[in-house]
Amino acid sequence: MDLLQQAAAAWKELTAYTYRITYGKSGVLHEIVLKFDLAEFYHLAGFQHLKDITLPVRFSHAKAIDVVLSGKLAEADIAKSESYESIRERLTAITRLKAALDTSFRVYRFNPDSLPFFTRITAKHLISAECGGVVFLFTDSAEDGTTFSKSIFLKRPDHDFSQNQKALTILKIERENGELICLYSR
């Protein structure tokens, strides 16, 4: 199984889980309800950057995981792109994400203007976890209150996205997949 298939399988596994992260701010409890959608994989894996190559098959965002897991699209097909190294970084981060969320992580209110470098990323929260390298997951909120993933990266020597960000005080982390499991409680 190549890295692209491993990332697709890891993301598909994550779609079965919901993470509830409760944090306090100014004496008020807030909750991040983190769900994972199959269609998010297309963007998180970086398929939008594959403009310099022709893929062997056409597919919608929602079908990206099925195309990869069926073997119709392989890592060798996307490795021809000039953007492959950044895509490879994203795929590696996706394979580590569940382990990162199941261990210790920090949540920040994300403000790109506070970073000492330029980024076009806009997000409400940044989740930073140490799991075989630091994984950064950027999230935003939908109108129904659920949180969705916007972008994912591994830490680079010159890009620590948690730098100058406001850390939130996590009070409880729960994972739900049919049964509710408390991963952390303060």
Side-chain angles (χ1 to χ4, degrees), residues 60-114:
S60 67
H61 292 212
K63 297 290 182 186
I65 285 183
D66 294 334
V67 169
V68 171
L69 292 178
S70 70
K72 293 176 185 171
L73 182 65
E75 184 179 10
D77 298 319
I78 65 170
K80 300 170 190 170
S81 173
E82 290 180 13
S83 302
Y84 175 68
E85 282 308 312
S86 66
I87 291 169
R88 186 169 186 257
E89 173 191 334
R90 290 169 173 248
L91 296 174
T92 302
I94 290 169
T95 62
R96 297 177 183 168
L97 184 57
K98 183 174 183 303
L101 291 172
D102 288 346
T103 59
S104 180
F105 61 86
R106 304 226 16 166
V107 179
Y108 301 88
R109 181 158 312 278
F110 186 66
N111 179 2
D113 297 331
S114 297

